PDB file of all heavy atoms in Angstrom:
ATOM      1  N   SER A  37       8.491  42.826 -23.197  1.00  0.00           N
ATOM      2  CA  SER A  37       8.008  44.145 -22.866  1.00  0.00           C
ATOM      3  C   SER A  37       8.432  45.256 -23.894  1.00  0.00           C
ATOM      4  O   SER A  37       7.769  46.370 -23.832  1.00  0.00           O
ATOM      5  CB  SER A  37       8.341  44.529 -21.330  1.00  0.00           C
ATOM      6  OG  SER A  37       9.695  44.337 -21.186  1.00  0.00           O
ATOM      7  N   ILE A  38       9.557  45.094 -24.616  1.00  0.00           N
ATOM      8  CA  ILE A  38      10.030  46.073 -25.475  1.00  0.00           C
ATOM      9  C   ILE A  38      10.181  45.666 -26.896  1.00  0.00           C
ATOM     10  O   ILE A  38      10.840  44.607 -27.033  1.00  0.00           O
ATOM     11  CB  ILE A  38      11.359  46.719 -24.954  1.00  0.00           C
ATOM     12  CG1 ILE A  38      11.259  47.205 -23.488  1.00  0.00           C
ATOM     13  CG2 ILE A  38      11.878  47.788 -25.812  1.00  0.00           C
ATOM     14  CD1 ILE A  38      10.398  48.400 -23.265  1.00  0.00           C
ATOM     15  N   PRO A  39       9.628  46.333 -27.834  1.00  0.00           N
ATOM     16  CA  PRO A  39       9.808  45.860 -29.241  1.00  0.00           C
ATOM     17  C   PRO A  39      11.370  45.899 -29.546  1.00  0.00           C
ATOM     18  O   PRO A  39      12.035  46.761 -29.144  1.00  0.00           O
ATOM     19  CB  PRO A  39       9.202  46.874 -30.064  1.00  0.00           C
ATOM     20  CG  PRO A  39       8.161  47.475 -29.109  1.00  0.00           C
ATOM     21  CD  PRO A  39       8.799  47.461 -27.862  1.00  0.00           C
ATOM     22  N   ARG A  40      11.730  44.893 -30.412  1.00  0.00           N
ATOM     23  CA  ARG A  40      13.082  44.777 -30.875  1.00  0.00           C
ATOM     24  C   ARG A  40      13.767  46.086 -31.492  1.00  0.00           C
ATOM     25  O   ARG A  40      14.802  46.525 -31.151  1.00  0.00           O
ATOM     26  CB  ARG A  40      13.289  43.709 -31.839  1.00  0.00           C
ATOM     27  CG  ARG A  40      13.145  42.264 -31.265  1.00  0.00           C
ATOM     28  CD  ARG A  40      13.275  41.213 -32.372  1.00  0.00           C
ATOM     29  NE  ARG A  40      13.267  39.925 -31.755  1.00  0.00           N
ATOM     30  CZ  ARG A  40      13.406  38.831 -32.517  1.00  0.00           C
ATOM     31  NH1 ARG A  40      13.532  38.883 -33.774  1.00  0.00           N
ATOM     32  NH2 ARG A  40      13.283  37.652 -31.961  1.00  0.00           N
ATOM     33  N   VAL A  41      12.890  46.730 -32.387  1.00  0.00           N
ATOM     34  CA  VAL A  41      13.408  47.826 -32.991  1.00  0.00           C
ATOM     35  C   VAL A  41      13.736  48.961 -32.054  1.00  0.00           C
ATOM     36  O   VAL A  41      14.586  49.755 -32.293  1.00  0.00           O
ATOM     37  CB  VAL A  41      12.442  48.451 -34.079  1.00  0.00           C
ATOM     38  CG1 VAL A  41      11.108  48.748 -33.362  1.00  0.00           C
ATOM     39  CG2 VAL A  41      13.004  49.453 -35.006  1.00  0.00           C
ATOM     40  N   ILE A  42      13.082  49.081 -30.987  1.00  0.00           N
ATOM     41  CA  ILE A  42      13.299  50.202 -29.898  1.00  0.00           C
ATOM     42  C   ILE A  42      14.476  49.713 -29.031  1.00  0.00           C
ATOM     43  O   ILE A  42      15.262  50.582 -28.650  1.00  0.00           O
ATOM     44  CB  ILE A  42      12.048  50.424 -29.089  1.00  0.00           C
ATOM     45  CG1 ILE A  42      10.948  51.067 -29.917  1.00  0.00           C
ATOM     46  CG2 ILE A  42      12.417  51.300 -27.953  1.00  0.00           C
ATOM     47  CD1 ILE A  42       9.658  51.251 -29.265  1.00  0.00           C
ATOM     48  N   MET A  43      14.630  48.432 -28.827  1.00  0.00           N
ATOM     49  CA  MET A  43      15.792  48.077 -28.008  1.00  0.00           C
ATOM     50  C   MET A  43      16.991  48.313 -28.782  1.00  0.00           C
ATOM     51  O   MET A  43      17.994  48.627 -28.158  1.00  0.00           O
ATOM     52  CB  MET A  43      15.594  46.493 -27.717  1.00  0.00           C
ATOM     53  CG  MET A  43      14.511  46.190 -26.724  1.00  0.00           C
ATOM     54  SD  MET A  43      14.898  46.934 -25.060  1.00  0.00           S
ATOM     55  CE  MET A  43      16.376  45.832 -24.539  1.00  0.00           C
ATOM     56  N   LYS A  44      16.982  47.994 -30.133  1.00  0.00           N
ATOM     57  CA  LYS A  44      18.146  48.264 -30.982  1.00  0.00           C
ATOM     58  C   LYS A  44      18.642  49.736 -30.917  1.00  0.00           C
ATOM     59  O   LYS A  44      19.780  50.064 -31.012  1.00  0.00           O
ATOM     60  CB  LYS A  44      17.937  47.807 -32.313  1.00  0.00           C
ATOM     61  CG  LYS A  44      17.776  46.236 -32.444  1.00  0.00           C
ATOM     62  CD  LYS A  44      17.666  45.923 -33.928  1.00  0.00           C
ATOM     63  CE  LYS A  44      17.678  44.272 -34.105  1.00  0.00           C
ATOM     64  NZ  LYS A  44      17.436  43.869 -35.556  1.00  0.00           N
ATOM     65  N   SER A  45      17.588  50.589 -30.942  1.00  0.00           N
ATOM     66  CA  SER A  45      17.974  52.079 -31.013  1.00  0.00           C
ATOM     67  C   SER A  45      18.266  52.528 -29.599  1.00  0.00           C
ATOM     68  O   SER A  45      19.058  53.603 -29.487  1.00  0.00           O
ATOM     69  CB  SER A  45      16.673  52.771 -31.429  1.00  0.00           C
ATOM     70  OG  SER A  45      16.306  52.415 -32.712  1.00  0.00           O
ATOM     71  N   GLY A  46      17.983  51.862 -28.547  1.00  0.00           N
ATOM     72  CA  GLY A  46      18.308  52.222 -27.212  1.00  0.00           C
ATOM     73  C   GLY A  46      17.245  52.954 -26.458  1.00  0.00           C
ATOM     74  O   GLY A  46      16.641  53.857 -27.045  1.00  0.00           O
ATOM     75  N   LEU A  47      16.903  52.483 -25.328  1.00  0.00           N
ATOM     76  CA  LEU A  47      15.808  53.078 -24.471  1.00  0.00           C
ATOM     77  C   LEU A  47      15.995  54.509 -24.236  1.00  0.00           C
ATOM     78  O   LEU A  47      15.046  55.378 -24.179  1.00  0.00           O
ATOM     79  CB  LEU A  47      15.537  52.302 -23.234  1.00  0.00           C
ATOM     80  CG  LEU A  47      14.990  50.788 -23.405  1.00  0.00           C
ATOM     81  CD1 LEU A  47      14.866  50.218 -22.004  1.00  0.00           C
ATOM     82  CD2 LEU A  47      13.667  50.864 -24.222  1.00  0.00           C
ATOM     83  N   GLU A  48      17.346  54.858 -24.024  1.00  0.00           N
ATOM     84  CA  GLU A  48      17.628  56.340 -23.676  1.00  0.00           C
ATOM     85  C   GLU A  48      17.220  57.249 -24.745  1.00  0.00           C
ATOM     86  O   GLU A  48      16.988  58.533 -24.533  1.00  0.00           O
ATOM     87  CB  GLU A  48      19.048  56.378 -23.335  1.00  0.00           C
ATOM     88  CG  GLU A  48      20.099  56.254 -24.425  1.00  0.00           C
ATOM     89  CD  GLU A  48      20.386  54.731 -24.724  1.00  0.00           C
ATOM     90  OE1 GLU A  48      19.860  53.919 -23.918  1.00  0.00           O
ATOM     91  OE2 GLU A  48      20.966  54.354 -25.666  1.00  0.00           O
ATOM     92  N   SER A  49      17.113  56.692 -26.029  1.00  0.00           N
ATOM     93  CA  SER A  49      16.823  57.651 -27.121  1.00  0.00           C
ATOM     94  C   SER A  49      15.418  57.632 -27.547  1.00  0.00           C
ATOM     95  O   SER A  49      14.925  58.161 -28.498  1.00  0.00           O
ATOM     96  CB  SER A  49      17.738  57.290 -28.307  1.00  0.00           C
ATOM     97  OG  SER A  49      17.342  55.867 -28.840  1.00  0.00           O
ATOM     98  N   PHE A  50      14.583  56.748 -26.877  1.00  0.00           N
ATOM     99  CA  PHE A  50      13.171  56.697 -27.161  1.00  0.00           C
ATOM    100  C   PHE A  50      12.379  57.979 -26.882  1.00  0.00           C
ATOM    101  O   PHE A  50      12.561  58.541 -25.875  1.00  0.00           O
ATOM    102  CB  PHE A  50      12.550  55.499 -26.356  1.00  0.00           C
ATOM    103  CG  PHE A  50      10.956  55.422 -26.582  1.00  0.00           C
ATOM    104  CD1 PHE A  50      10.452  54.798 -27.676  1.00  0.00           C
ATOM    105  CD2 PHE A  50      10.136  56.033 -25.751  1.00  0.00           C
ATOM    106  CE1 PHE A  50       9.130  54.719 -27.931  1.00  0.00           C
ATOM    107  CE2 PHE A  50       8.734  55.954 -25.829  1.00  0.00           C
ATOM    108  CZ  PHE A  50       8.298  55.251 -26.972  1.00  0.00           C
ATOM    109  N   VAL A  51      11.470  58.383 -27.976  1.00  0.00           N
ATOM    110  CA  VAL A  51      10.568  59.495 -27.713  1.00  0.00           C
ATOM    111  C   VAL A  51       9.241  59.030 -28.002  1.00  0.00           C
ATOM    112  O   VAL A  51       8.999  58.379 -29.115  1.00  0.00           O
ATOM    113  CB  VAL A  51      11.066  60.627 -28.742  1.00  0.00           C
ATOM    114  CG1 VAL A  51      10.046  61.768 -28.685  1.00  0.00           C
ATOM    115  CG2 VAL A  51      12.413  61.087 -28.468  1.00  0.00           C
ATOM    116  N   PRO A  52       8.251  59.275 -27.175  1.00  0.00           N
ATOM    117  CA  PRO A  52       6.861  58.856 -27.397  1.00  0.00           C
ATOM    118  C   PRO A  52       6.349  59.457 -28.724  1.00  0.00           C
ATOM    119  O   PRO A  52       6.762  60.610 -29.234  1.00  0.00           O
ATOM    120  CB  PRO A  52       6.072  59.549 -26.225  1.00  0.00           C
ATOM    121  CG  PRO A  52       7.115  59.600 -25.112  1.00  0.00           C
ATOM    122  CD  PRO A  52       8.392  59.931 -25.816  1.00  0.00           C
ATOM    123  N   GLU A  53       5.603  58.617 -29.531  1.00  0.00           N
ATOM    124  CA  GLU A  53       5.158  59.031 -30.799  1.00  0.00           C
ATOM    125  C   GLU A  53       3.718  58.899 -31.020  1.00  0.00           C
ATOM    126  O   GLU A  53       3.019  58.080 -30.330  1.00  0.00           O
ATOM    127  CB  GLU A  53       5.895  58.220 -31.923  1.00  0.00           C
ATOM    128  CG  GLU A  53       7.370  58.457 -31.952  1.00  0.00           C
ATOM    129  CD  GLU A  53       8.034  57.720 -33.088  1.00  0.00           C
ATOM    130  OE1 GLU A  53       8.041  56.460 -33.002  1.00  0.00           O
ATOM    131  OE2 GLU A  53       8.433  58.246 -34.120  1.00  0.00           O
ATOM    132  N   GLN A  54       3.107  59.586 -32.053  1.00  0.00           N
ATOM    133  CA  GLN A  54       1.847  59.335 -32.543  1.00  0.00           C
ATOM    134  C   GLN A  54       1.972  58.817 -33.939  1.00  0.00           C
ATOM    135  O   GLN A  54       2.525  59.410 -34.737  1.00  0.00           O
ATOM    136  CB  GLN A  54       0.992  60.633 -32.552  1.00  0.00           C
ATOM    137  CG  GLN A  54       0.557  61.083 -31.162  1.00  0.00           C
ATOM    138  CD  GLN A  54      -0.506  62.166 -31.324  1.00  0.00           C
ATOM    139  OE1 GLN A  54      -0.513  62.971 -32.296  1.00  0.00           O
ATOM    140  NE2 GLN A  54      -1.403  62.361 -30.426  1.00  0.00           N
ATOM    141  N   LEU A  55       1.465  57.605 -34.046  1.00  0.00           N
ATOM    142  CA  LEU A  55       1.577  56.858 -35.385  1.00  0.00           C
ATOM    143  C   LEU A  55       0.317  56.966 -36.043  1.00  0.00           C
ATOM    144  O   LEU A  55      -0.650  56.193 -35.784  1.00  0.00           O
ATOM    145  CB  LEU A  55       2.130  55.387 -35.095  1.00  0.00           C
ATOM    146  CG  LEU A  55       3.187  55.096 -34.112  1.00  0.00           C
ATOM    147  CD1 LEU A  55       3.473  53.681 -33.939  1.00  0.00           C
ATOM    148  CD2 LEU A  55       4.388  55.844 -34.502  1.00  0.00           C
TER     149      LEU A  55
END
Side-chain angles (χ1 to χ4, degrees):
S37 50
I38 306 293
R40 287 181 177 180
V41 64
I42 293 176
M43 287 297 291
K44 287 180 179 178
S45 301
L47 291 181
E48 65 281 353
S49 63
F50 173 81
V51 177
E53 294 182 291
Q54 285 192 330
L55 313 177

